[in-house]
Amino acid sequence: MKKIMLIALVMLLLVPHMVLSQFKPGNVCYISDNRIHFQLDNRWSDQRKDEISRLFSLDSALMEMALQTSENEILSGSTIWFVSRIDQHIVEISKQLEAPSLDVGAHDVLLFDEELMEKEPSRGPEIRKPRRPSLVSIFRTHPWHYGINDFKDPSAFSFSNDTATFLLKEYPNARRVVLSGTFNNWSTRKQFMRKTSEGWICRVHLKPGKYLYKYIVDGQWIPDPANNLEEYDGQGGSNSAVYCYNHAFRLTGYPKARRVYVSGSFNNWNRNQLKMRKTAGGWELPMFLSPGTHAYKFIVDRKWITDPDNPVMRDNGNGSFNSYLGIGDTMTFRLSGFQTAGKVYLAGSFNGWNPNELLMDKTDNGWKLTYHLAPGLHEYKFIVDGQWMPDPANPESVGEGIFENSVLTFRPNYTFTLAMFTDAKKVIVTGSFNGWREDACAMTLKDGVWACPVFLSPGKHTYKFIVDGQWMVDPANEVWEANAQGTGNSVLWVEP
């Protein structure tokens, strides 16, 4: 029975890995944040729908469901698709890109056959490789772009001046309490809590962001009893989740309004999700926003309005305007020449390939636009008087012909290297960090070493090199784990 369950699980996970560049750039399909996105149009003819279905191996029943549903999620087989309505005609659906392997991540649950694990041949040094696992999870969380805390007692956590204060009011008779989480690599000795008249307290210097944590009370791991936000911990329990805020939405005035919401690209324009709190001078909602550029509006008693205190507005391409704000670092895109062009736009994976949103400014020798970007891999193109084109100054690209997109890695924090195969013609690094794409992250040979800078989020990453079409683990990394093909994947851990 265990083997049947394992085989069934493997079949579910081995979904064909799609390697796609833009099809009619910005119209149908793009890949961003390790997710594949499809934009569907209810004005398509049946013939057009059939073409899209065949081209992208997209289930026609799923397409019809997405065009008609008012829900935010659709379950198709074993896959959860997230649904977002762009306008009255366009609906976007997206799903997580899965690596073609049985890698166990922080939010994965798998059923392993213990006999198969015991019979697996040795391949050399092994680290963090379980020999007799029981039940692990198969649950994944979708990418998050914002966060709001939900504490039963607001005094249990506060964040100010880059300092987070954790307060545990329970367990007054405990002898020792330790705070452990992603911010200290789940250490059991770094953050001892101090007993006070209010309870157990600990202050930690943190940057804005999302963190998972638990308390260790006399050796027992427990989630925060005052925190309603929890995530599965992969071991049958849960971790508490907390956000250190970096932004507050504020709307001045409207004292007679009954309800005010903020809605934007960060929450898929959900109109009833982020309710603002009334203040003496208006309305407010503090939260964490991920790095990048965010479009937003306020909804005052069902009326959508731009932010009157924010001068940064752009045409959203659908005949109306949105307010915009940027978090983190900026990137200046430049296009030389084309002085006679009337309009030049920038479009990419960072703005859903919207062709009418990011109008570039004309300069003495070309065009430019400064834009807040999240760290990571981005694809983009310029649109010169309606004509799509990759960046002529950027040699890095994916796809060919009209499907070619320029690629950039913004704020890389790690460099993959391969100090061998100097006679190879093409070397790629791929892994869980980019959805196991075979057309991105090309390595460059310099001084006898192949190298590729990337941005890696904190946590575990699995990867391989592709040398002239041949897949291989990293010969310089002894840390590896088994995969479904029996070839193994190299493992890299990035500290928070």
Side-chain angles (χ1 to χ4, degrees):
M1 182 62 182
K2 289 191 297 180
K3 292 184 179 180
I4 293 175
M5 294 174 69
L6 176 62
I7 292 172
L9 182 59
V10 171
M11 294 301 294
L12 287 173
L13 288 178
L14 292 182
V15 179
H17 176 57
M18 302 180 70
V19 179
L20 300 168
S21 52
Q22 289 305 108
F23 171 79
K24 288 191 177 179
N27 270 354
V28 177
C29 173
Y30 67 96
I31 294 175
S32 176
D33 294 330
N34 203 25
R35 296 182 68 80
I36 185 165
H37 302 250
F38 295 94
Q39 291 191 355
L40 312 177
D41 194 326
N42 60 20
R43 294 168 294 188
W44 285 344
S45 65
D46 291 340
Q47 180 181 359
R48 174 65 168 159
K49 291 178 182 177
D50 289 341
E51 290 175 353
I52 297 298
S53 177
R54 288 195 303 270
L55 179 62
F56 295 106
S57 299
L58 198 59
D59 184 64
S60 57
L62 168 67
M63 294 170 60
E64 291 299 330
M65 238 193 307
L67 288 170
Q68 298 175 19
T69 188
S70 60
E71 301 295 325
N72 294 327
E73 296 180 2
I74 294 177
L75 180 64
S76 177
S78 61
T79 302
I80 296 177
W81 291 83
F82 292 92
V83 184
S84 175
R85 182 161 293 281
I86 305 301
D87 57 31
Q88 62 179 330
H89 298 296
I90 307 297
V91 170
E92 181 172 285
I93 60 175
S94 68
K95 71 171 183 176
Q96 184 79 29
L97 277 174
E98 298 289 349
S101 70
L102 284 177
D103 299 337
V104 181
H107 301 291
D108 296 346
V109 174
L110 304 173
L111 290 175
F112 284 93
D113 187 304
E114 294 180 4
E115 293 180 17
L116 290 179
M117 292 295 292
E118 290 171 347
K119 293 178 181 179
E120 186 178 292
S122 174
R123 288 173 44 90
E126 301 178 15
I127 298 180
R128 307 181 72 93
K129 184 177 179 183
R131 295 307 305 164
R132 298 183 64 85
S134 52
L135 182 66
V136 242
S137 82
I138 189 93
F139 164 77
R140 288 189 181 273
T141 57
H142 60 278
W144 52 274
H145 298 286
Y146 76 97
I148 296 178
N149 292 322
D150 184 11
F151 283 90
K152 302 168 189 175
D153 180 358
S155 67
F157 176 83
S158 64
F159 180 71
S160 178
N161 297 323
D162 293 331
T163 299
T165 302
F166 294 82
L167 176 62
L168 177 63
K169 293 185 177 180
E170 286 79 358
Y171 306 98
N173 298 322
R175 291 174 297 170
R176 186 174 71 174
V177 178
V178 179
L179 173 64
S180 181
T182 52
F183 42 78
N184 62 12
N185 202 23
W186 295 101
S187 170
T188 61
R189 300 183 61 84
K190 284 186 178 179
Q191 258 83 42
F192 288 96
M193 303 190 74
R194 180 171 54 89
K195 192 173 183 180
T196 68
S197 59
E198 297 180 86
W200 296 89
I201 193 168
C202 183
R203 292 184 174 87
V204 187
H205 182 74
L206 294 177
K207 297 178 180 179
K210 175 184 177 182
Y211 300 93
L212 302 177
Y213 69 99
K214 276 185 177 179
Y215 295 119
I216 310 174
V217 181
D218 290 338
Q220 299 297 313
W221 292 72
I222 63 166
D224 188 345
N227 191 346
N228 291 319
L229 292 183
E230 293 185 349
E231 293 186 6
Y232 185 71
D233 65 2
Q235 300 178 24
S238 59
N239 296 320
S240 295
V242 68
Y243 295 92
C244 294
Y245 292 163
N246 61 351
H247 182 74
F249 285 100
R250 294 185 176 90
L251 176 63
T252 304
Y254 297 93
K256 296 183 179 180
R258 291 176 298 172
R259 288 183 295 272
V260 178
Y261 293 85
V262 62
S263 177
S265 55
F266 44 85
N267 75 330
N268 290 324
W269 295 98
N270 189 315
R271 66 176 64 203
N272 300 313
Q273 189 178 54
L274 301 176
K275 189 175 182 180
M276 301 182 72
R277 295 191 291 267
K278 195 170 186 178
T279 65
W283 301 81
E284 182 180 75
L285 182 63
M287 65 166 60
F288 171 79
L289 279 177
S290 63
T293 299
H294 304 279
Y296 71 99
K297 279 184 174 179
F298 297 120
I299 310 171
V300 182
D301 290 338
R302 299 185 179 182
K303 181 181 179 181
W304 293 71
I305 65 169
T306 55
D307 187 346
D309 296 322
N310 183 358
V312 183
M313 291 192 299
R314 294 193 184 103
D315 190 327
N316 62 15
N318 297 313
S320 63
F321 284 81
N322 296 325
S323 296
Y324 286 80
L325 65 91
I327 302 290
D329 296 330
T330 60
M331 167 74 183
T332 299
F333 292 87
R334 300 180 188 275
L335 176 64
S336 298
F338 301 94
Q339 296 293 87
T340 60
K343 290 183 179 180
V344 176
Y345 288 89
L346 169 70
S349 56
F350 39 78
N351 80 324
W353 294 97
N354 187 330
N356 303 308
E357 181 184 47
L358 303 180
L359 180 64
M360 302 186 72
D361 299 318
K362 195 170 186 178
T363 67
D364 292 338
N365 58 357
W367 303 79
K368 76 171 184 177
L369 177 71
T370 299
Y371 192 79
H372 284 84
L373 273 185
L377 187 70
H378 302 277
E379 298 181 26
Y380 68 99
K381 276 187 172 179
F382 297 119
I383 310 167
V384 181
D385 288 340
Q387 298 298 310
W388 293 72
M389 59 176 286
D391 186 348
N394 184 357
E396 302 297 328
S397 66
V398 294
E400 297 178 355
I402 62 170
F403 307 122
E404 182 183 10
N405 298 324
S406 295
V407 175
L408 70 88
T409 299
F410 187 64
R411 295 292 184 262
N413 61 353
Y414 183 83
T415 299
F416 285 102
T417 58
L418 180 63
M420 300 174 65
F421 307 99
T422 55
D423 294 331
K425 296 180 180 179
K426 187 175 183 180
V427 178
I428 300 289
V429 61
T430 185
S432 56
F433 59 91
N434 70 353
W436 294 94
R437 293 185 60 169
E438 300 178 44
D439 63 342
C441 298
M443 305 186 76
T444 303
L445 181 63
K446 183 177 181 180
D447 298 329
V449 176
W450 292 94
C452 179
V454 297
F455 175 82
L456 298 178
S457 58
K460 171 188 167 186
H461 301 272
T462 52
Y463 69 99
K464 274 187 169 179
F465 297 116
I466 309 176
V467 182
D468 289 339
Q470 299 299 310
W471 291 66
M472 59 175 289
V473 294
D474 186 348
N477 184 359
E478 293 184 344
V479 186
W480 67 278
E481 68 181 17
N483 62 14
Q485 291 75 30
T487 56
N489 296 322
S490 294
V491 177
L492 172 68
W493 290 84
V494 177
E495 296 293 330

